[in-house]
Amino acid sequence: MKQLKFWLTSLLMLQVLIAATLLWSNHLESVAHKPKPILDIDWASIDKFTIEDTGGGITLVKSNSSWSLSNQQLPVSTASVNAFFRNLKSLKTGWPVATLRDSHERFKVSDSKFVRRVELFKNNTSVGKLLFGSSIGLRQSNVRQINDDTIYNVKLDTLDISANVGEWFNKSLIATNNINMIKAADYRLKRTGASWEFDRSGPSILLGKGSPKRLDQNKADELDQLLSSLKILKISSFNPDTQPNASEKLQVDVTDDTGKWIYTFVKSDNSFYVTRSDRNEYFTLDQAVYEKIAGIKKVDLIVSETGSNPNEK
């Protein structure tokens, strides 16, 4: 009887030991695969990063607190950079998709075969490099850090990692805010308080020989808004001033709280362009925006005696 009790006690202790071992093994495995940042770096110190795809790449650099595209020296929205960094910070490890080097090509996360390649720098020294590949999940991609063979699936679409200049540069680059004077070939407006009025410092703004005409405040506000919200589409690959078929050209001088800016709007064939005096490049412009600005004449800004537009019958 005592011998049976001994064996039963021993069996129970063995079962407890096996259970404890299994629990500890599961705990260790769980800890090993506990999600942690794929990139553990000082994000505030990043002053340059590159993004590449199969068609090329871009480099963004930080100067003081501003970011720009290094090749074109075009300012980049700080909000866009911050959003990009937030996406990278959110990438976590977990259960790996694959752990062998032989799988890199298959998942398109090798240094020679990738969908996107992102590299981050501090003082021109690389501090992190990620290779993004294909994924069967919606809004997901496979990713691998360059010094790790392990591949993870993360919730970040490669479409959100653009190597296209047009997706990064600030489309409001040459928009002007707090405008207080607008001058074109046949009109000159100045802001007085919250209202606009014709600048009567010269004779060119006088219409005919009669009494000064009254400015349509709504039309002046529309013009102000057009210039304040001016959006460029992309960098032009050529200077339209050099083209013999540049059929229309308009200059608009704008003064704001920071200085004076000279805008040049050009129509060439069926394309529309704009540049500003502080830039060397021409940018393409939406046709509707061009026509709204170029189509404004002095007569369009005047309130007729009946309160209607002078062009209306």
Side-chain angles (χ1 to χ4, degrees), residues 20-304:
T21 302
L22 290 174
L23 286 172
W24 180 249
S25 177
N26 289 337
H27 171 71
L28 292 178
E29 188 174 7
S30 176
V31 170
H33 293 291
K34 183 178 181 180
K36 60 183 179 180
I38 290 179
L39 283 179
D40 185 14
I41 59 177
D42 179 11
W43 291 92
S45 68
I46 302 302
D47 53 18
K48 183 173 80 170
F49 64 92
T50 61
I51 304 175
E52 299 173 75
D53 60 16
T54 54
I58 57 173
T59 300
L60 290 88
V61 294
K62 186 179 183 181
S63 177
N64 297 321
S65 60
S66 300
W67 287 89
S68 64
L69 289 154
S70 63
N71 293 339
Q72 293 82 7
Q73 293 298 307
L74 290 174
V76 172
S77 168
T78 301
S80 297
V81 174
N82 290 340
F84 177 66
F85 282 173
R86 282 196 300 272
N87 282 337
L88 296 185
K89 287 181 191 179
S90 70
L91 302 181
K92 305 287 185 182
T93 62
W95 292 97
V97 174
T99 58
L100 300 178
R101 182 170 298 183
D102 292 343
S103 63
H104 294 175
E105 291 280 332
R106 178 160 56 94
F107 289 100
K108 297 182 180 179
V109 289
S110 71
D111 214 14
S112 60
K113 188 177 182 181
F114 55 86
V115 178
R116 296 287 190 278
R117 179 164 57 193
V118 175
E119 190 163 10
L120 304 149
F121 297 85
K122 174 185 176 182
N123 297 326
N124 282 325
T125 299
S126 179
V127 295
K129 187 175 181 180
L130 295 175
L131 297 156
F132 292 86
S134 58
S135 176
I136 60 174
L138 182 64
R139 304 289 298 171
Q140 298 177 18
S141 59
N142 292 315
V143 64
R144 179 180 72 87
Q145 193 172 186
I146 191 66
N147 57 357
D148 188 353
D149 289 335
T150 308
I151 303 170
Y152 300 99
N153 184 261
V154 294
K155 293 181 179 180
L156 179 60
D157 197 324
T158 52
L159 293 175
D160 296 325
I161 312 172
S162 177
N164 185 343
V165 170
E167 297 293 328
W168 281 95
F169 88 89
N170 187 359
K171 293 179 174 61
S172 298
L173 175 64
I174 59 173
T176 308
N177 295 312
N178 301 318
I179 300 174
N180 50 58
M181 183 169 286
I182 305 172
K183 179 184 176 183
D186 68 343
Y187 64 83
R188 183 169 177 164
L189 309 179
K190 67 177 182 180
R191 186 191 294 276
T192 303
S195 301
W196 287 95
E197 63 182 39
F198 282 116
D199 181 6
R200 307 189 184 281
S201 59
S204 62
I205 49 76
L206 300 179
L207 297 175
K209 298 179 180 180
S211 60
K213 304 299 182 179
R214 185 159 60 94
L215 176 65
D216 186 328
Q217 290 295 319
N218 290 332
K219 294 293 185 181
D221 286 338
E222 287 177 12
L223 178 58
D224 177 14
Q225 181 62 26
L226 283 169
L227 294 168
S228 297
S229 61
L230 187 65
K231 293 286 192 302
I232 51 183
L233 300 179
K234 63 179 181 180
I235 307 167
S236 174
S237 59
F238 66 94
N239 186 334
D241 277 346
T242 64
Q243 305 301 307
N245 54 354
S247 56
E248 295 180 11
K249 188 173 182 179
L250 170 71
Q251 179 175 305
V252 178
D253 298 357
V254 175
T255 304
D256 64 8
D257 293 341
T258 60
K260 180 179 179 179
W261 316 101
I262 302 173
Y263 290 87
T264 302
F265 297 87
V266 179
K267 176 184 177 182
S268 180
D269 290 334
N270 293 318
S271 298
F272 305 87
Y273 308 90
V274 63
T275 188
R276 201 172 73 173
S277 52
D278 60 325
R279 308 297 307 184
N280 294 322
E281 312 92 341
Y282 265 89
F283 305 96
T284 57
L285 192 66
D286 184 78
Q287 179 179 353
V289 175
Y290 172 89
E291 291 177 345
K292 286 178 181 179
I293 295 175
I296 295 178
K297 306 299 180 186
K298 179 169 52 178
V299 67
D300 301 311
L301 298 169
I302 296 170
V303 175
S304 69

